[in-house]
Amino acid sequence: MTLESKTPGGPIEKKWQTHRFNLKLVNPANKRKYTVIVVGTGLAGASAAASLGELGYNVLTFSYHESPRRAHSIAAQGGINAPKNYANDGDSVYRLFYDTVKGGDYRAREANVYRLAEVSGSIIDQCVAQGVPFARDYSGYLDNRSFGGAQVSRTFYARGQTGQQLLLGAYSALSRQIQAGTVKFFQRREMLDVVLVDGQARGIVVRDLVTGAIETYAANGVVLATGGYGNLFYLSTMAKASNATAIWRAHKKGAAFGNPCFTQIHPTCIPQSGEYQSKLTLMSESLRNDGRIWVPKKKGDTRRPESIPEEERDYYLERIYPSFGNLVPRDVASRRAKEMCDNGFGVGPTGRAVYLDFADAINRLGKHVIEERYGNLFDMYHEISAEDPYKVPMRIYPAVHYTMGGLWVDYNLMSTIPGLFVVGEANFSDHGANRLGASALMQGLADGYFILPYTIGDYLATAKFPPAKAEDPSFKQAQGEVEAMVKKLISIQGKRTAEEFHKELGRIMWEYVGMGRNKEGLQKALTMIPRLREEFWQDLKVVGSANDLNAELEKAGRVADFLELGELVAHDALHREESCGGHFREEHQTEEGEAKRNDKEFSYVAAWEFAGVGKHPILNKEPLTFEYVKPSERSYK
């Protein structure tokens, strides 16, 4: 496999503009001749489909929900970054670029990250024009707040529901195109395979989740906007329906998988309260603007937080990182919280939590200001924990949240399969080894509104497209393979549900491939996962029929993919002998417990090629070079 990043030459501030000018165009009359499939209708998918429809392409868009408004993008609460410098605190495109490269622990392409920073300002203008109700200051100007990994205020927000409001904006744009007839929306369809014709992505196979029918659709190009794979760990902050099936099936057809082990752990999650839980709830990182994180200085202190005097509290992030304090990046804050709990300073019934305290902010600003900024988040915490965070500190603990890994894409957002484009969290692209807060919404909308519409046009204008219809042999073969797998899942008739296997896989992943990884644990995981996968295919129990609505069958297919993806993640984590962002190898840390990179040997993207189920994947490397932000020790002190 040859990896060609197609990164343009020239000064970094001119790369995108020059590249965009040199891209081939499809004239308006010819756009009607091309059909593009977009899978997923979250921020990246909805914005891409709406933009392509507005340009005049024929767009087929697919969602396993009944409405694009159900996409998991609504769960991104805190905000979206853009270097508008409205706060006049020294922000710029270059500073956002610098913070993002540094925050990603120098494992992202500089050109991609600069482009992201460059177009992010246009996202805010676009969304304001759509009516997104961003917070405003007293004079009516758009307001900003701070997020981890930055010393400026560049995060635009809509209370604690920014993702939901941005999705409504993208949904309105998508709905307009559906009404205009340029976009056709297929609800309750799950993509189960990508169809290749002469090596090109020319269509998909889906299952109608209501009727059970297996359907095929043909196009000139396919766009995957299906999100991340955090639910691999079973307990995560992601919606339960979020899965890896679309990108995993594409990987098995030849799309390289980039940096799968780079998994983000979010520091502000409501702690697990029991084995009965099937997911975890995120408290937005925006809370760290006004909340102070602390633990008791005395080990095993079981007193109520309000009973612990100030001098007996350890505000450990402020102590260890005086420059950034509570706003250190997520990977740093997560590791320190785990460290405190592992050392016996944890709080709450399980001892696996730290406090996030708003008493100082309420005294300084007043309860009404905190309520305006975070009211819905405080209400959510109260509903889940039965505690009032206006009166007592929140209890938080790290949890799996976002995946920086995903399908490898070049500068044009195309995978190693010609014609298969990947946008948003589904690709590996812009975040390196760690995502800074408020950059997921930024990347999803940048890809969908301002990058893909240009780059896919170049592909359509330059590629040759032999006739391809859903009745052709390639489509029939792919459909037959999907039908056979569905039949196999139904026919096993063992004793254990897909949920049981998923939960067991999650335990293995969290224990050995979670926040802290080491060689012995990863090798153990690589013996346990194949054994569990073998049990899955011998003892799975799927009730119901394949020809009907069947949530158990849906879940079984997704868990089957997780059982293969989990092995790849462990392989990637084992091969990367360094600590880097969300990948923390316990053998590679400084005396202070910080991540210790190995730039000499691992300054590359690991792009894995599928070699067969149970076989060692094939490693391909894309070297990373840094002309503008020189790799250095990542310090937030």
Side-chain angles (χ1 to χ4, degrees):
M1 179 178 288
T2 303
L3 300 176
E4 296 182 14
S5 70
K6 298 182 181 176
T7 303
I12 197 165
E13 64 273 9
K14 295 183 179 179
K15 285 182 187 292
W16 173 234
Q17 297 299 330
T18 303
H19 184 70
R20 192 170 64 175
F21 178 77
N22 290 327
L23 291 171
K24 302 298 181 184
L25 301 177
V26 180
N27 77 52
N30 284 342
K31 286 188 174 78
R32 295 190 295 271
K33 300 177 183 178
Y34 293 107
T35 298
V36 179
I37 286 172
V38 179
V39 185
T41 54
L43 280 178
S47 60
S51 300
L52 294 171
E54 181 73 35
L55 286 170
Y57 295 106
N58 296 307
V59 182
L60 310 179
T61 186
F62 296 80
S63 173
Y64 54 52
H65 295 302
E66 72 281 359
S67 166
R69 291 175 297 174
R70 291 281 308 283
H72 187 59
S73 298
I74 68 164
Q77 302 152 331
I80 176 170
N81 288 329
K84 293 282 196 179
N85 197 32
Y86 288 166
N88 198 28
D89 55 2
D91 203 6
S92 65
V93 169
Y94 195 90
R95 189 176 292 276
L96 175 54
F97 157 67
Y98 174 87
D99 288 344
T100 306
V101 172
K102 175 185 174 183
D105 223 348
Y106 308 97
R107 292 294 177 264
R109 278 193 213 121
E110 282 190 327
N112 284 63
V113 178
Y114 192 91
R115 177 176 63 181
L116 176 63
E118 183 181 354
V119 305
S120 61
S122 299
I123 297 172
I124 305 303
D125 300 337
Q126 169 93 356
C127 294
V128 168
Q130 290 173 338
V132 173
F134 286 121
R136 294 178 181 266
D137 63 19
Y138 181 76
S139 60
Y141 291 107
L142 294 177
D143 199 11
N144 290 122
R145 58 188 177 200
S146 300
F147 257 65
Q151 290 181 302
V152 295
S153 293
R154 65 163 65 103
T155 304
F156 295 80
Y157 65 99
R159 209 176 186 186
Q161 49 186 255
T162 314
Q164 180 176 355
Q165 297 302 327
L166 291 171
L167 184 62
L168 288 172
Y171 172 66
S172 68
L174 178 61
S175 297
R176 179 174 178 273
Q177 296 307 314
I178 293 172
Q179 181 65 30
T182 60
V183 176
K184 189 172 183 181
F185 174 62
F186 295 85
Q187 64 174 2
R188 303 292 285 139
R189 300 311 204 276
E190 181 168 27
M191 176 188 149
L192 297 181
D193 209 350
V194 61
V195 181
L196 305 187
V197 179
D198 295 333
Q200 292 175 300
R202 295 298 306 273
I204 60 173
V205 182
V206 302
R207 180 174 181 270
D208 185 320
L209 298 181
V210 177
T211 68
I214 306 297
E215 304 167 343
T216 56
Y217 295 87
N220 300 99
V222 177
V223 180
L224 300 186
T226 51
Y229 49 92
N231 273 341
L232 166 65
F233 291 79
Y234 186 73
L235 284 178
S236 82
T237 67
M238 300 186 76
K240 285 297 290 180
S242 299
N243 64 84
T245 288
I247 60 172
W248 187 251
R249 304 288 171 90
H251 173 60
K252 294 174 77 170
K253 280 294 181 73
F257 208 116
N259 296 335
C261 77
F262 288 161
T263 306
Q264 183 169 80
I265 312 294
H266 200 294
T268 52
C269 177
I270 298 179
Q272 182 182 2
S273 56
E275 284 295 314
Y276 56 85
Q277 278 185 258
S278 61
K279 79 174 298 296
L280 297 170
T281 302
L282 175 69
M283 291 285 98
S284 169
E285 181 182 326
S286 62
L287 296 173
R288 291 198 277 149
N289 272 289
D290 292 305
R292 301 179 69 194
I293 295 173
W294 64 276
V295 293
K297 289 183 177 179
K298 179 183 176 183
K299 288 185 179 182
D301 195 332
T302 58
R303 289 178 290 174
R304 295 282 300 170
E306 61 269 26
S307 301
I308 301 176
E310 190 74 13
E311 62 273 13
E312 296 182 32
R313 301 180 179 187
D314 180 11
Y315 295 91
Y316 58 89
L317 291 179
E318 298 172 29
R319 170 174 55 82
I320 301 172
Y321 308 101
S323 294
F324 282 74
N326 296 296
L327 289 175
V328 293
R330 292 173 177 177
D331 60 323
V332 177
S334 295
R335 283 197 294 273
R336 295 292 82 79
K338 180 179 185 294
E339 182 182 271
M340 288 295 165
C341 294
D342 289 347
N343 291 338
F345 297 99
V347 300
T350 64
R352 309 301 294 177
V354 299
Y355 288 128
L356 180 60
D357 196 336
F358 290 86
D360 283 357
I362 291 172
N363 291 334
R364 184 178 73 254
L365 302 170
K367 180 183 175 183
H368 68 285
V369 173
I370 300 302
E371 197 168 12
E372 286 176 0
R373 292 178 179 175
Y374 316 110
N376 62 311
L377 300 173
F378 277 51
D379 292 343
M380 188 165 65
Y381 184 86
H382 180 264
E383 289 298 313
I384 292 171
S385 68
E387 294 180 350
D388 184 353
Y390 292 106
K391 297 178 180 177
V392 297
M394 292 182 179
R395 285 178 288 111
I396 58 170
Y397 191 71
V400 172
H401 176 57
Y402 187 94
T403 49
M404 287 74 67
L407 294 187
W408 183 93
V409 292
D410 62 18
Y411 191 72
N412 292 329
L413 303 181
M414 189 163 73
S415 72
T416 51
I417 296 177
L420 180 68
F421 292 79
V422 192
V423 295
E425 190 180 357
N427 72 32
F428 88 102
S429 181
D430 296 346
H431 307 298
N434 175 60
R435 180 175 72 83
L436 290 182
S439 60
L441 302 180
M442 177 174 63
Q443 187 216 341
L445 292 179
D447 286 356
Y449 280 138
F450 298 110
I451 300 173
L452 178 77
Y454 292 100
T455 60
I456 198 172
D458 180 78
Y459 171 74
L460 295 173
T462 56
K464 296 185 183 302
F465 296 101
K469 297 181 180 179
E471 297 78 26
D472 290 351
S474 297
F475 286 82
K476 291 298 181 184
Q477 180 181 346
Q479 181 177 351
E481 291 169 355
V482 167
E483 289 172 345
M485 183 174 184
V486 169
K487 185 176 180 180
K488 185 177 181 181
L489 290 168
I490 289 282
S491 67
I492 298 170
Q493 292 300 304
K495 297 179 181 178
R496 298 170 66 185
T497 66
E499 184 80 359
E500 291 178 72
F501 283 105
H502 193 185
K503 187 176 287 190
E504 180 60 28
L505 174 64
R507 290 194 191 99
I508 295 170
M509 295 301 297
W510 181 252
E511 181 68 25
Y512 303 112
V513 202
M515 284 186 69
R517 304 161 175 179
N518 57 59
K519 184 175 182 179
E520 182 182 357
L522 290 167
Q523 289 174 334
K524 188 170 183 179
L526 285 169
T527 61
M528 297 175 75
I529 295 171
R531 189 159 56 236
L532 182 65
R533 186 171 61 240
E534 186 177 343
E535 292 174 12
F536 173 88
W537 288 107
Q538 292 177 352
D539 201 25
L540 173 69
K541 174 71 173 180
V542 175
V543 297
S545 163
N547 304 315
D548 204 349
L549 178 68
N550 191 337
E552 285 301 305
L553 177 59
E554 295 171 35
K555 194 181 298 181
R558 296 164 186 173
V559 173
D561 293 328
F562 281 143
L563 284 163
E564 294 172 6
L565 173 57
E567 191 171 2
L568 177 63
V569 171
H571 275 299
D572 189 39
L574 181 61
H575 115 275
R576 190 169 282 275
E577 289 279 357
E578 64 169 351
S579 288
C580 187
H583 167 63
F584 190 74
R585 283 288 293 268
E586 294 169 353
E587 305 96 322
H588 305 288
Q589 56 182 302
T590 66
E591 292 181 3
E592 295 80 24
E594 303 289 358
K596 190 175 182 181
R597 289 196 325 272
N598 182 348
D599 292 329
K600 185 177 180 180
E601 296 184 42
F602 291 97
S603 188
Y604 59 76
V605 177
W608 295 92
E609 190 176 345
F610 184 71
V613 177
K615 296 181 180 179
H616 197 292
I618 302 165
L619 175 62
N620 301 274
K621 301 176 181 180
E622 180 202 339
L624 294 171
T625 57
F626 296 91
E627 295 181 61
Y628 296 87
V629 184
K630 297 300 181 184
S632 59
E633 184 179 348
R634 188 163 160 250
S635 174
Y636 292 92
K637 296 180 179 180

